[in-house]
Amino acid sequence: MYSTETFLDRVYFPDDDNPDGCWIWAGSIDKDGYGRVGSKITAHRYSYALFRGRCRGLLVCHHCDTRSCVRPSHLFVGTIQDNVADCIRKGRQVKGEDVPTHKLTADEVRVMRKLAARGVARRALASLFGVRPDTVKTIVRRKAWRHI
Ligand SMILES: [Zn+2]
């Protein structure tokens, strides 16, 4: 399956003037408009698992209603038994927990710098990695994580 970098190579990022825009899957799209990673996994589900952790037994839904969007901050999970309203309510909770306490890994630092070099806005990187924009700045300028 895809590593984080390989996955992100298959994504169209939004322009700089739209830092909160959707990340559109550039790989295969199924008949319902969902991105696909292989025959069994949707791209947005794969993205959620990659960036935000386990989602087994849970439904991965879109805040943005763009089926081909794989941006982690546009995704949320609900249980399969939930109805749509409940799913949305849970999504808001997931969003509320999305506080900047995430500890970065060396891998994430590398990906963050690669994306920054491609012109992805600092604010977008901050929301993707769950850290403050200041943190992104120090990492991209190599004032933090200098050893990588
Ligand atoms: Zn989106």
Side-chain angles (χ1 to χ4, degrees):
M1 280 304 183
Y2 298 156
S3 68
T4 307
E5 285 199 60
T6 321
F7 183 85
L8 291 171
D9 278 343
R10 287 163 176 75
V11 171
Y12 293 125
F13 293 104
D15 296 335
D16 251 358
D17 55 358
N18 185 22
D20 298 319
C22 290
W23 291 10
I24 304 301
W25 182 242
S28 59
I29 302 283
D30 69 18
K31 61 176 168 46
D32 296 319
Y34 292 103
R36 284 275 161 189
V37 175
S39 60
K40 291 207 176 82
I41 308 174
T42 57
H44 66 285
R45 186 173 182 85
Y46 195 86
S47 179
Y48 193 94
L50 203 56
F51 292 105
R52 305 188 76 176
R54 286 164 51 91
C55 54
R56 190 177 293 176
L58 297 165
L59 205 60
V60 177
C61 317
H62 286 93
H63 284 299
C64 62
D65 291 330
T66 305
R67 290 178 170 184
S68 57
C69 173
V70 296
R71 183 168 191 157
S73 59
H74 289 191
L75 304 172
F76 64 98
V77 293
T79 66
I80 286 159
Q81 292 88 345
D82 290 334
N83 64 25
V84 172
D86 200 34
C87 204
I88 291 166
R89 184 176 59 77
K90 283 211 169 71
R92 293 210 178 104
Q93 284 171 0
V94 170
K95 219 175 181 181
E97 287 164 12
D98 196 11
V99 288
T101 54
H102 183 66
K103 282 218 162 138
L104 293 166
T105 64
D107 225 27
E108 287 174 319
V109 167
R110 278 188 214 103
V111 171
M112 185 189 288
R113 284 186 183 140
K114 190 177 171 181
L115 292 176
R118 277 201 216 165
V120 177
R122 201 174 287 160
R123 203 150 56 92
L125 291 172
S127 80
L128 166 61
F129 292 98
V131 296
R132 287 188 303 266
D134 293 359
T135 309
V136 174
K137 188 163 108 185
T138 61
I139 289 170
V140 170
R141 293 186 176 175
R142 295 179 192 274
K143 285 182 177 150
W145 289 86
R146 262 181 289 189
H147 59 292
I148 299 215

